[in-house]
Amino acid sequence: MKRCSAEHRVFYWEEVVFGGVEAPELHSEEHGNVRVVTPVLPQAMAGTDFSEPLRQLLDQLLQSQNIERPLAWFYAPMAVGFTDRLTPVAVVYDCMDELSAFRGAPLQMAEREQRLMSIADVVFAGGRSLFESKRRLHHNIHLFPSSIDYDHFAQARRPQTQPADQAGIPGPRAGFFGVIDERFDFDLIAGAAALLPDVQFVFLGPVVKVSPQDLPRAANIHYLGQKSYAELPAYLSGWDVALIPFALNESTKFISPTKTPEYLAAARPVVSTPIADVIAGYGSVVRIAANPAQFASAITAAIADAGDPAWIARAGDAVSGQSWDATWEAMRKLVAPFLLNVQEKMELLRVEKRANCTTI
């Protein structure tokens, strides 16, 4: 969306926040050329059908910004419940995950996605498994695997000042960044940590939809909380191995972890459970392990990869060309015909209006 904003106004509509207001409000923040708008509703509306307040807030935004025919770009199928009064020039569904399989997903999620598929002009799928599962559901669907900001993560290839909360943790370190939720394989980590008492396991990210009491605990397991995007290269630079310790369940069946190419851009050896898209996209440079014993063995082997110039070169080759610039350019070309058609129609209307004025 940052790249889109170089050519178009972009309004990024966030998820609902409850509390702190007596009546529905729309909060707005500028992030470069992207305006992030967040609907804030009274706490009393939580657990109710709040579609109508969201419709009204969206109407207010469109009116205040003089928006008549927007390009509607959906990431969340549930949003079709309050955007039914939109008159978009085109609808894009950027499908990043099988959200209906996530713990706590709304019961209407699958139905809303069907509705979104029926109105979408173009669909993007964020991973190969996801693409294969959706390709028969739409006539104009395209695969766009995870993109990366290579230069940002490549900073970790050079020595960085270690963050204070990681500096005191001795090496070797095996790390993970991301949301810690039902996709996380707790038994795998507990078992691997027990088998590798000299390896320190470092986890960055918020704990969501699971109890903190359920997290594996040991002297060599460290939870450092959520970090900003800007901080990640410094943490990565201090890891010997990067981990993708996802369980194999419904919520990970179609997952294509963006962290895989980000780890590789940082030249961190990667150990992953057998996630289909990881194997298909990066099996030649990522070590795959299915149980605690295999995971521990793979971590030990991966530590040796960190200083291997040949492996580092292969890791760079594996993620070459996966930039956000390249992804946006390809997406832009697929969306442009819909915008062009409208521009042509508007020009025809202007010509017709001028002709009518001349006749009068």
Side-chain angles (χ1 to χ4, degrees), residues 186-209:
F186 297 148
D187 292 337
L188 180 83
I189 291 301
L195 291 168
L196 298 173
D198 294 330
V199 174
Q200 305 299 313
F201 290 76
V202 177
F203 297 98
L204 313 179
V207 178
V208 177
K209 295 189 289 185

Side-chain angles (χ1 to χ4, degrees), residues 83 93-94 100 156-157 160 168 171 185 189 209 234 267 306 322 333:
T83 55
Y93 176 26
D94 203 341
S100 62
R157 292 172 174 242
Q160 305 282 316
D185 193 331
I189 291 301
K209 295 189 289 185
Q322 291 182 240
K333 289 179 179 178

Side-chain angles (χ1 to χ4, degrees), residues 84-97:
D84 47 328
R85 290 204 288 254
L86 277 179
T87 55
V89 58
V91 173
V92 176
Y93 176 26
D94 203 341
C95 181
M96 298 299 296
D97 224 322

Side-chain angles (χ1 to χ4, degrees), residues 209-220:
K209 295 189 289 185
V210 296
S211 171
Q213 285 70 36
D214 293 336
L215 301 180
R217 304 285 178 177
N220 61 332

Side-chain angles (χ1 to χ4, degrees), residues 67-83:
I67 301 170
E68 295 182 358
R69 298 294 307 281
L71 171 65
W73 193 298
F74 288 84
Y75 290 104
M78 292 301 293
V80 300
F82 64 88
T83 55

Side-chain angles (χ1 to χ4, degrees), residues 117 123 125 128-142 254:
M117 282 282 192
V123 178
R128 184 164 299 280
S129 297
L130 199 60
F131 173 74
E132 293 298 334
S133 74
K134 305 289 186 185
R135 65 186 307 177
R136 294 176 182 82
L137 303 179
H138 199 274
H139 67 283
N140 191 18
I141 184 169
H142 304 269
F254 303 106

